[in-house]
Amino acid sequence: MEISIVGSGYVGTTVAACFADLGHDVVNVDVDEEIVTAINDGDAPLHEEGLPELVADHAGPEGTGRLRATTDYTAVLDTDVTFLCLPTPQNDDSSIDLSVMEAGAAQLGQTLADKPDWHTVVVKSTVVPGTTEEAITPIVEAESGKRAGEEFGIGMNPEFLREGTAVDDFRNPDKVVLGADDERALGDMCAVFEPLIGQSEAPVVETDTRTAEMIKYANNAFLASKISLINDLGNICKEFGIDAYEVADAIGLDDRIGEQFLRSGVGWGGSCFPKDTRAIISAAEATGYDPTVLTAAVELNDHQPERLLSLLDDHVDVAGKRIAVLGLAFKPGTDDVRNSRAIPVIEGLRERGAEVVAYDPVATANMRERFPNLEYAESAAAALDGAHGAVVVTDWDEFAALDEAFDAMADPVVVDGRRIIERRDGVIYEGLTW
Ligand code: UGA
């Protein structure tokens, strides 16, 4: 198939390279010249495991030629299907900002006005139920002068890729969700995914666009709530002096619960769970429904960093003291600090008058944009040196190997929000939920 992908962020770029690897001819369309040049040079424009190899294999000078990039929308005219992979950031009221999507749909529609034959447009961005049908389709229709379902098709194909393992997640999906409002669009989407479905044997869910949109939110809302529930239970365990990880291991043996996403601690962050849970709550409230469980899951997540700090308060009066924050990325394996739990932890420490010294193996530069006046250490050992306490926010493997570094602390108090540090003699160790 000939495929165009509008938007070359982490989803658009990864999906484009993976589609090319499946044997399709793919063109990325993006306004950013730097991204376009990088892809055409065979360089991955962002850090994602396995992506540099794929981009070099298919776009570089030595590549198969199945992947290229351009700033020119007319490239979509030579393709059969266009995936819209544009950002949907959060508005102040927690709803999603559709302006970039709407502008992209308008430009795509104007371009498709010149296409004499059928074309399928697929929304891949995370959008609240009804958006494809009620916002995107009318724009493409108005700008192209064509009728959806008759001259062009509309689909919705949510993605379930995790940052850091996106290429692997693409190749080994738990499911492929194909939402379409007409049969021909569904047929085109099936043809795009046919090689992947053949090799991965992933189950395919065929549905309408509204349901596909909801499946994406339900997936993320369920996972985020699962973590909040294990954090709630973990907080109870802590009160009873019980190890929440032992409890989680046992309940995870029940197939109905499952062993994944039961790591309790300082909570979830990133660019997806916090935004998506709030967006679906906001969309539900707009209908008059009050989603109490989901709202509680978000509130609990917002409160975990303060619980972490209150455990530190039990041992140290942090005002005027040097406190180390280990881990700034929202999870290990990424330099992304968006909605990282380290942000409220640092804010809470500063409100208490602490002198914060922060360390992360890769995310320092990104956190420096958020907190330019913070002290950033070159290593975990340097952060711990002379500190009157330390809090662990990200479960980087290197923190598990820390040993003598704790001896250099002024007060060896460690509060672990991710269960990564080994207990050792001479260190006052507090686990958040164990
Ligand atoms: C998440 C989903 O897992 C993907 O399926 C989805 O495609 C993606 O959002 C998205 O909507 O784009 P991601 O944000 O990359 O992926 O990160 P996860 O690996 O799911 O972790 C999210 C947060 O949960 C992290 O802060 C992590 O530390 C935390 N977490 C995860 C826990 O606190 N405990 C756990 O047991 C698992």
Side-chain angles (χ1 to χ4, degrees), residues 231 235 238-239 265-268 298-316 318 340-354 391-393 415-418 430-433:
N231 285 342
N235 293 343
K238 182 77 181 174
E239 296 299 326
V266 70
W268 33 270
V298 171
E299 279 172 10
L300 189 130
N301 196 58
D302 288 345
H303 196 63
Q304 280 309 87
E306 190 49 40
R307 261 190 89 81
L308 182 88
L309 294 178
S310 70
L311 284 173
L312 184 63
D313 293 337
D314 290 345
H315 298 278
V316 197
V318 300
S340 168
R341 300 295 76 200
I343 295 169
V345 165
I346 291 167
E347 284 169 347
L349 285 169
R350 287 184 142 187
E351 276 161 23
R352 287 164 165 79
V391 288
V392 183
V393 185
V415 183
D416 188 351
R418 296 290 183 190
E430 284 278 4
L432 185 49
T433 58

Side-chain angles (χ1 to χ4, degrees), residues 256-328:
R256 294 168 300 175
I257 294 173
E259 63 182 5
Q260 293 191 57
F261 276 59
L262 287 182
R263 289 184 61 81
S264 54
V266 70
W268 33 270
S271 64
C272 305
F273 286 177
K275 176 168 81 89
D276 293 352
T277 45
R278 284 179 165 82
I280 198 66
I281 288 170
S282 155
E285 285 172 349
T287 70
Y289 178 71
D290 178 16
T292 47
V293 174
L294 209 42
T295 303
V298 171
E299 279 172 10
L300 189 130
N301 196 58
D302 288 345
H303 196 63
Q304 280 309 87
E306 190 49 40
R307 261 190 89 81
L308 182 88
L309 294 178
S310 70
L311 284 173
L312 184 63
D313 293 337
D314 290 345
H315 298 278
V316 197
D317 176 4
V318 300
K321 304 254 176 59
R322 179 179 169 89
I323 303 294
V325 174
L326 300 185
L328 301 172

Side-chain angles (χ1 to χ4, degrees), residues 362-377:
V362 297
T364 301
N366 285 337
M367 198 54 106
R368 208 186 286 275
E369 284 177 23
R370 180 73 173 70
F371 294 109
N373 300 321
L374 211 63
E375 182 184 339
Y376 294 92

